[in-house]
Amino acid sequence: MIRRWSRMAGLLIAFAMPASAAHAQVVQSIHFGLGGFFPKGLDARSNTDVIRRNIRGEFLPADLTGDPTVTDALAIRVQDFRGAQAFGEWVVAFGPNVEVSAGLGIYSRNVPSVYRDLIDDRTLGDIEQTIKLRMVPLTAMVRFLPFGNASTVQPYVGVGVSAIRFRYSEFGDFVDPETLVIHDNDGEPYAVSGWTPGTVFVYGLRIPVGGDIYALSIEGRHQFAEGKTGGAESGFVADKIDLGGANLNVGFVIRF
């Protein structure tokens, strides 16, 4: 699914650039701002997603726990991964109706947690750990602005492709699901990092400020991407991490 949308977005960008450059003046601008990232909901995540698996958990051996309903679930929610982000991009406009851009963003979130059903028998306290997710997406995009010009309010829609540098890590104390022994991985976090492709859909509104040089933007983005964790070999309870979600951004445009 992601690969198909990525190919379609890439073709749109490739065809939009020469088609619009042939009949329009090139104007450049920078677009930067702040916003929030809202990760994909629990029910929209696959069973192979590490966050979903940590939230749902699996039943532990009843002969060890004495209770068949005890799981290894963590006391976290998908909403805990909502967080602030910053972005910036270089935009090239071919007339009033088509733009292409290249940009990057940054998002990072630390989520403290405990096991929902388990405690440390030695201290009768919680078994604590922290989950961290960081993303740096590099995005190429084409926007279509069907109405207005730089001096008027302009709504727009767009599509793009991204390469996302991500790092997912878990550190703290963990319970072995087969023995219930608590360990801390010798003080080192379980961590994975890498690059993964993605697709981005965007829609927004641009509002001029005192002419056609400056403008404010209100923009929503939907990101679709999935990374690999390495699964049990890397110390994780699932093989993938869903990086999809929505972004709500407020930005500032400077044309030159």
Side-chain angles (χ1 to χ4, degrees):
M1 179 69 174
I2 292 175
R3 291 180 180 177
R4 183 169 70 251
W5 282 112
S6 297
R7 287 196 295 268
M8 291 177 61
L11 288 173
L12 280 172
I13 293 172
F15 282 116
M17 290 180 64
S20 41
H23 64 274
Q25 179 183 4
V26 176
V27 177
Q28 301 181 61
S29 61
I30 56 173
H31 180 209
F32 57 92
L34 300 171
F37 175 69
F38 303 86
K40 188 183 295 185
L42 184 64
D43 292 339
R45 294 173 175 267
S46 72
N47 291 329
T48 58
D49 173 58
V50 67
I51 293 178
R52 176 187 172 97
R53 169 64 177 79
N54 276 328
I55 294 173
R56 291 288 178 86
E58 288 187 355
F59 292 114
L60 296 173
D63 58 335
L64 295 178
T65 64
D67 184 345
T69 65
V70 171
T71 72
D72 62 354
L74 302 183
I76 59 174
R77 307 169 302 165
V78 173
Q79 298 95 303
D80 296 332
F81 291 91
R82 294 175 179 173
Q85 65 171 15
F87 73 93
E89 60 181 350
W90 188 280
V91 184
V92 179
F94 299 101
N97 304 117
V98 178
E99 296 177 348
V100 295
S101 66
L104 62 82
I106 183 168
Y107 155 90
S108 183
R109 185 72 172 169
N110 283 15
V111 178
S113 183
V114 299
Y115 279 92
R116 191 177 63 200
D117 299 335
L118 300 170
I119 62 172
D120 190 335
D121 291 335
R122 300 166 298 182
T123 64
L124 299 182
D126 290 327
I127 306 170
E128 300 178 345
Q129 58 284 136
T130 299
I131 298 174
K132 183 174 183 177
L133 176 61
R134 183 175 69 236
M135 292 186 288
V136 180
L138 307 178
T139 305
M141 187 179 303
V142 57
R143 289 182 177 87
F144 301 96
L145 303 90
F147 310 112
N149 55 53
S151 300
T152 66
V153 174
Q154 286 184 291
Y156 60 84
V157 295
V159 62
V161 292
S162 62
I164 301 174
R165 178 68 178 178
F166 73 95
R167 177 178 171 84
Y168 176 80
S169 59
E170 301 175 353
F171 53 95
D173 294 328
F174 301 89
V175 175
D176 187 312
E178 296 181 356
T179 65
L180 300 191
V181 172
I182 300 173
H183 61 92
D184 65 357
N185 196 33
D186 296 324
E188 295 294 325
Y190 295 107
V192 62
S193 60
W195 291 91
T196 192
T199 304
V200 180
F201 295 91
V202 62
Y203 48 90
L205 192 67
R206 197 168 292 159
I207 305 167
V209 178
D212 61 358
I213 303 299
Y214 306 106
L216 296 175
S217 68
I218 302 173
E219 182 177 276
R221 296 189 184 193
H222 288 278
Q223 172 179 297
F224 300 88
E226 194 173 63
K228 297 180 179 180
T229 66
E233 292 185 1
S234 300
F236 298 111
V237 293
D239 296 328
K240 297 180 180 179
I241 170 72
D242 194 324
L243 304 173
N247 301 272
L248 179 61
N249 299 323
V250 176
F252 192 68
V253 177
I254 304 175
R255 298 183 181 88
F256 54 91

